[in-house]
Amino acid sequence: MGLTGARLAALAAGLLGLLALSVGAGLALGSAGFDPELIVALRAPRVGSAVGVGALLALSGLAMQVLLRNPLADPYVLGTSGGASVGALLALMVGASLWLGAGLGALAAGVLLLALTRSALASADDASPRLVLTGAMLAALCGAVATLLLAVTPDQRLRGAIFWLVGDLSGAQGGLACGAAALVFVALLSWHDTGIDRLMLGSEVAALLGEPVRRLRWLLLVGASLAAGLAVASAGAIGFVGLVVPQALRLIGVQRTRDLAWMSAIGGAALLTLADLVARTVVAPLELPVGAVMSLVGAPLFIAVLARGGR
């Protein structure tokens, strides 16, 4: 059963409260009170980047889960973030746009994954093993290419590049662009919510119900890839946000795409902001890469969901 309107509103209020708490704590900790100059110069851009990137990653994970009909789909797990990282590194090396490189890299990885698993998605009753293995190998391939690119990176930029590849919000930029892109993605998912809900029943069922299956699948693929690319270009490869947030919402009863879209955006923003707060304060004054903090949360959940699916 789905959530009632009152429960849905209460859940939304709770997510917004968590986001506000994370933002407020992030502004207060590590500074001498609420210094306006410090907030404007350092804290606000970082929190804004965490909000925008977290929302995009959660929406990308949601779109991939619908596209592949797999609860384990996530841009980090299935190689989309790795493709974006490779594209971004190549763009840095040739002096091209970082955003363009990451977007094209994520889209190429998504198209390759869809092509490699097309027969499994069309014919297998349970395509999870093939999807997960294919995505894992694609992620490993992208990781190997990124490592080779790092090997030719100048020493003065090597530490920053490594920190960026595992996820780092300390120098993140483009928070407003990521937030605006997340709003556009939420609007697109909400506009096509009926077709996407039917697509979750299977492409054949959706086609019989009159839905433009091919167009919907390309919409989800391009949207998920561009969202992951923008997130990686802004803050590096941060994993498992797209797995944790939609899974948590579904477990508590949120099923409709219209509700999942905007609540995933809020939940992803809150989760990544909170993870960044932990990364900055747990061993202060040193900072941990926020990608590592998210992996400590997401990897056990991935294993638990995979084990549950096996039963």
Side-chain angles (χ1 to χ4, degrees), residues 196-248:
I196 293 173
D197 287 336
R198 291 174 175 175
L199 192 61
M200 283 293 292
L201 301 175
S203 57
E204 294 182 358
V205 175
L208 288 174
L209 293 174
E211 298 297 336
V213 174
R214 184 182 296 272
R215 188 176 67 186
L216 283 175
R217 295 183 75 180
W218 274 105
L219 171 68
L220 291 171
L221 176 62
V222 173
S225 300
L226 291 180
L230 287 173
V232 170
S234 180
I238 299 173
F240 297 107
V241 176
L243 172 68
V244 172
V245 175
Q247 278 293 323

Side-chain angles (χ1 to χ4, degrees), residues 247-259:
Q247 278 293 323
L249 291 173
R250 285 194 174 99
L251 286 174
I252 61 175
V254 184
Q255 300 296 333
R256 294 179 55 194
T257 299
R258 182 181 296 272
D259 298 328

Side-chain angles (χ1 to χ4, degrees), residues 22-24 26-29 31 34-52 169-170 172-176 273 276 280:
S22 301
V23 172
L27 293 176
L29 291 177
S31 63
F34 286 90
D35 186 345
E37 293 184 1
L38 183 62
I39 291 174
V40 172
L42 297 177
R43 302 301 184 199
R46 181 159 180 164
V47 171
S49 295
V51 169
L169 286 167
S170 61
Q173 298 179 352
L176 289 177
T273 305
D276 182 54
R280 289 191 295 107

Side-chain angles (χ1 to χ4, degrees), residues 46-227:
R46 181 159 180 164
V47 171
S49 295
V51 169
V53 170
L56 283 178
L57 289 175
L59 291 169
S60 179
L62 173 62
M64 293 187 71
Q65 289 171 16
V66 174
L67 175 67
L68 303 177
R69 296 181 62 206
N70 191 304
L72 298 174
D74 172 80
Y76 184 81
V77 174
L78 298 184
T80 311
S81 290
S85 298
V86 171
L89 286 174
L90 287 173
L92 285 174
M93 293 182 66
V94 302
S97 169
L98 185 67
W99 301 87
L100 179 62
L104 291 177
L107 184 59
V111 171
L112 181 59
L113 176 65
L114 194 61
L116 291 174
T117 58
R118 185 174 182 178
S119 60
L121 291 171
S123 60
D125 293 330
D126 183 9
S128 295
R130 181 169 177 179
L131 282 170
V132 172
L133 289 174
T134 304
M137 292 304 99
L138 184 59
L141 177 62
C142 291
V145 175
T147 301
L148 293 176
L149 292 176
L150 286 175
V152 297
T153 301
D155 291 341
Q156 62 270 22
R157 301 177 59 186
L158 184 60
R159 184 179 183 277
I162 294 176
F163 213 67
W164 175 73
L165 282 177
V166 296
D168 177 28
L169 286 167
S170 61
Q173 298 179 352
L176 289 177
C178 290
L183 290 176
V184 172
F185 203 2
V186 169
L188 284 175
L189 292 175
S190 300
W191 182 265
H192 296 282
D193 63 324
T194 301
I196 293 173
D197 287 336
R198 291 174 175 175
L199 192 61
M200 283 293 292
L201 301 175
S203 57
E204 294 182 358
V205 175
L208 288 174
L209 293 174
E211 298 297 336
V213 174
R214 184 182 296 272
R215 188 176 67 186
L216 283 175
R217 295 183 75 180
W218 274 105
L219 171 68
L220 291 171
L221 176 62
V222 173
S225 300
L226 291 180

